[in-house]
Amino acid sequence: MNFLDYQDPRPIYEQIADMYQKLILKGAMSADEPMPSVRKLAIELSTNPNTVQKAYALLEQKGFIYSVKGRGNFVKVDPELRTKRKAELKSKLEDIFREAEEIGISRAELMEDDGKDGEQ
């Protein structure tokens, strides 16, 4: 499970945290499921354990996992997290629609498939 993209400008710990956020939000990981140990995941991803620890700290700060001293980290499933993420995505979409309208592109025009995906 190597999901790191070394071309991605984001730090590796953010990429790790983002991937686990997505897995938790879509239900691929269940409540109270143990996270891989810091050492195991660091070896699997060929990265420094401090990087994994930083990702786990970020996940805990955002409410996606919790830690139990001496036992490890576990998935914390909170329906509010999905609701909050949905609101964030809606806000981003609104920003995109607003920017498009500022340069004369309607929502409908922005959403239509013009067959030129990937062309520049």
Side-chain angles (χ1 to χ4, degrees):
M1 166 180 77
N2 196 344
F3 46 77
L4 300 180
D5 178 3
Y6 295 101
Q7 304 302 316
D8 190 328
R10 295 176 303 155
I12 291 173
Y13 79 91
E14 284 183 10
Q15 292 181 49
I16 295 168
D18 186 52
M19 185 60 182
Y20 276 105
Q21 285 179 46
K22 289 176 183 173
L23 289 171
I24 293 167
L25 287 172
K26 72 176 166 182
M29 298 183 79
S30 55
D32 303 318
E33 180 178 333
M35 297 288 289
S37 73
V38 170
R39 185 175 300 169
K40 179 181 178 191
L41 187 58
I43 290 169
E44 193 174 315
L45 298 176
S46 300
T47 191
N48 189 304
N50 291 334
T51 301
V52 175
Q53 186 59 47
K54 195 169 182 179
Y56 280 9
L58 182 60
L59 286 167
E60 188 169 11
Q61 176 188 351
K62 290 184 173 186
F64 285 91
I65 66 173
Y66 64 94
S67 64
V68 176
K69 192 167 181 86
R71 301 275 320 202
N73 296 290
F74 299 86
V75 175
K76 178 180 178 183
V77 174
D78 180 356
E80 220 23 62
L81 290 173
R82 188 175 173 89
T83 303
K84 182 179 173 185
R85 184 65 180 142
K86 185 177 175 181
E88 289 170 359
L89 291 171
K90 280 184 174 182
S91 176
K92 285 183 181 180
L93 275 174
E94 285 301 319
D95 290 344
I96 290 169
F97 287 141
R98 189 173 16 265
E99 184 178 342
E101 287 171 358
E102 287 173 0
I103 61 170
I105 300 172
S106 70
R107 288 181 184 217
E109 186 181 355
L110 190 62
M111 299 305 294
E112 71 187 24
D113 182 11
D114 58 7
K116 296 181 182 178
D117 291 343
E119 285 186 23
Q120 302 241 346

